[in-house]
Amino acid sequence: MAAYKARLKEFENVLNCEIIDIKKLRKLCFNGCPFESGYRSICWKILLNFLTVKKSEWKESLTKQRALYRQFIEEMILDPGKKANSGAQEDHPLNPSPDSQWQVIFKDNEMLMQIDKDCRRLCPDLFFFQRATEFPCEELVNDTTNVETLRKRVEQCVLRSETVARNRVGMTGMVSSRRKASDAYMVLAKGEEAHWEVVERILFIYAKLNPGLKYVQGMNEILGPIYYTFAVDPDSTCREFAEADSFFCFTNLMAEIRDNFIKTLDESQFGIGYIMNELYRELQERDPALWHLLKEQDLKPQYYAFRWLTLLLSQEFPLPDVLRIWDSLFSDEHRFDFLIKIAVAMLVLIRDDLLQGDFPHNMKLVQNFPYARIEVQKVIAKAVEMIHR
């Protein structure tokens, strides 16, 4: 307990400086950020370049960025939502004009359906994302504003896409189909908004602002832990602006790892294919016997390491462990070189099982890392050990 209090004091001393020593902060965060006093939220915002090391700039920067995000919501969700419900004669769903707002909405709906599907199942073992946020977007949940929400758009898309199936006597299956659609899209009471809906809105806005990349499945797993960290922070102001702050931190993180989500760059120097090859080169150096076995069994990294590396291990461990891993990843000044070390450490720590297993056994093992018996701290310690060798 005394050692932990001393560690908290170290964070306090570094973060209370007018100009934060980024090297000291990285070193502290690499060994894990405490939840107390919102240290993890603050540190992640600095490490992801949302906040500068000059504390005097924070207030103005936060005010400006949060206002900008508010503008994004108005331009991309509120204004289109008002037009969709306005019933204006000059624009309607059948308007063939390329300038029609409806044409834009139709193009976005397919992307929105995928975002919605992914966000609804975000961290299924954790009830947090299904709970109502204490800071919903009032204009979207308030019935008097007459704005079509993303939730409503998705529900309408589901009904539109239903197929009318006829049985042998010519009756349709529309009623049962609608019942299933309704059951699949259960939502909170009026005036409430689930945390997953907030994540959905962030991803939709990000996709609209990045038309070259748009939304790629898995981005929800990158955003989820960031939003969770800010939304459960002890400080109410951090929780209130968790949506806006998460958007910018996610955007900055994606600027560094977005090449992993672009298929055409898979084999480039910055693509995921190159990173997987680096992983196997590292494994060959650290454990030639294990490397040889995986090559002999043709257990390619594409089968499991693609997910490990692209999603920053967010699918391989429970959320608390993911947060701990990300403390180290975000503080890595070489930006995710440590991720390869962690991936190799994971393989080395299950090497005995792998060396004794056949292809089906080993495939199942690497696709379902046994985190229950191999604690995350042990994985990180093994990865750190590789750095110093």
Side-chain angles (χ1 to χ4, degrees):
M1 180 60 72
Y4 188 70
K5 287 184 177 179
R7 181 164 171 73
L8 290 177
K9 186 63 178 177
E10 286 186 277
F11 273 90
E12 180 184 344
N13 292 339
V14 170
L15 292 172
N16 279 344
C17 294
E18 184 55 40
I19 299 181
I20 295 169
D21 188 324
I22 191 64
K23 287 187 177 180
K24 285 184 179 179
L25 185 67
R26 286 186 188 279
K27 186 175 181 180
L28 281 173
C29 294
F30 188 84
N31 294 315
C33 299
F35 173 77
E36 288 86 350
S37 303
Y39 287 144
R40 175 172 277 136
S41 294
I42 296 172
C43 291
W44 280 19
K45 289 173 184 177
I46 296 171
L47 295 173
L48 292 174
N49 301 312
F50 178 55
L51 293 176
T52 70
V53 295
K54 295 182 180 179
K55 289 186 67 175
S56 60
E57 298 176 350
W58 287 6
K59 184 176 181 180
E60 181 181 355
S61 176
L62 287 172
T63 300
K64 183 184 298 184
Q65 296 287 72
R66 289 164 178 172
L68 178 60
Y69 183 74
R70 176 66 194 181
Q71 184 180 334
F72 292 154
I73 291 180
E74 291 178 357
E75 292 178 357
M76 297 173 206
I77 297 177
L78 295 180
D79 288 347
K82 291 174 184 175
K83 292 176 183 177
N85 275 338
S86 65
Q89 294 297 315
E90 63 273 12
D91 198 9
H92 53 81
L94 299 180
N95 186 351
S97 170
D99 297 327
S100 170
Q101 181 65 30
W102 284 96
Q103 297 302 314
V104 177
I105 290 176
F106 292 152
K107 288 180 181 179
D108 289 342
N109 278 350
E110 184 177 349
M111 173 183 69
L112 178 57
M113 288 286 286
Q114 184 62 60
I115 296 175
D116 185 86
K117 181 180 178 181
D118 292 346
C119 289
R120 285 177 185 269
R121 63 190 183 193
L122 187 60
C123 296
D125 296 332
L126 190 71
F127 187 64
F128 167 80
F129 288 99
Q130 305 303 318
R131 283 180 12 216
T133 172
E134 60 183 313
F135 298 105
C137 183
E138 294 296 339
E139 291 87 344
L140 290 172
V141 299
N142 190 336
D143 285 343
T144 62
T145 56
N146 197 34
V147 177
E148 184 182 59
T149 63
L150 296 183
R151 176 200 304 179
K152 190 67 175 177
R153 284 177 62 175
V154 170
E155 290 171 350
Q156 290 174 348
C157 283
V158 169
L159 294 177
R160 283 195 209 104
S161 64
E162 288 177 334
T163 56
V164 180
R166 293 184 177 274
N167 62 20
R168 290 183 180 179
V169 294
M171 297 181 65
T172 71
M174 179 62 80
V175 175
S176 61
S177 179
R178 288 199 177 196
R179 187 180 299 118
K180 288 178 183 177
S182 176
D183 291 342
Y185 287 84
M186 296 290 286
V187 295
L188 296 173
K190 288 183 179 180
E192 292 185 329
E193 187 174 49
H195 286 290
W196 69 259
E197 293 185 84
V198 180
V199 174
E200 177 181 78
R201 184 162 55 244
I202 295 172
L203 290 171
F204 181 76
I205 291 174
Y206 175 82
K208 292 286 288 180
L209 290 171
N210 294 270
L213 181 60
K214 295 185 179 179
Y215 173 76
V216 179
Q217 195 168 10
M219 288 181 180
N220 59 312
E221 307 294 350
I222 299 294
L223 174 59
I226 297 174
Y227 173 75
Y228 173 83
T229 297
F230 299 165
V232 300
D233 192 273
D235 180 65
S236 62
T237 302
C238 181
R239 297 197 304 273
E240 180 180 359
F241 293 101
E243 180 176 353
D245 296 354
S246 296
F247 169 81
F248 288 107
C249 286
F250 171 74
T251 298
N252 290 348
L253 177 56
M254 282 302 302
E256 298 186 50
I257 66 173
R258 61 178 287 160
D259 289 352
N260 294 347
F261 290 85
I262 302 175
K263 188 173 180 59
T264 55
L265 295 180
D266 280 358
E267 301 306 322
S268 73
Q269 185 177 355
F270 305 103
I272 189 64
Y274 177 82
I275 299 174
M276 288 190 292
N277 288 337
E278 285 294 299
L279 187 161
Y280 262 41
R281 276 195 286 271
E282 181 85 18
L283 178 63
Q284 183 179 14
E285 180 182 334
R286 303 289 176 181
D287 196 327
L290 180 56
W291 173 83
H292 184 267
L293 173 76
L294 298 182
K295 294 287 286 186
E296 190 176 59
Q297 291 186 352
D298 201 26
L299 190 54
K300 298 177 181 178
Q302 290 90 330
Y303 299 153
Y304 61 96
F306 179 89
R307 187 178 71 188
W308 290 11
L309 300 171
T310 301
L311 303 183
L312 306 183
L313 299 171
S314 61
Q315 292 286 280
E316 316 313 317
F317 295 89
L319 184 58
D321 290 349
V322 172
L323 302 183
R324 172 60 193 90
I325 291 171
W326 285 17
D327 289 338
S328 296
L329 292 184
F330 292 165
S331 57
D332 176 14
E333 60 182 327
H334 298 296
R335 277 315 197 205
F336 308 120
D337 282 359
F338 190 61
L339 178 60
I340 294 177
K341 297 288 193 300
I342 293 179
V344 173
M346 290 166 65
L347 291 172
V348 171
L349 287 170
I350 58 173
R351 74 182 304 275
D352 292 342
D353 288 337
L354 290 171
L355 291 174
Q356 295 174 21
D358 57 10
F359 178 85
H361 172 273
N362 289 345
M363 174 69 83
K364 183 177 180 180
L365 187 60
V366 294
Q367 289 187 339
N368 300 274
F369 185 78
Y371 60 79
R373 64 180 174 87
I374 301 179
E375 295 182 355
V376 67
Q377 199 56 48
K378 187 174 182 179
V379 176
I380 294 174
K382 174 61 72 173
V384 170
E385 181 184 313
M386 293 178 182
I387 295 177
H388 299 299
R389 278 189 180 178

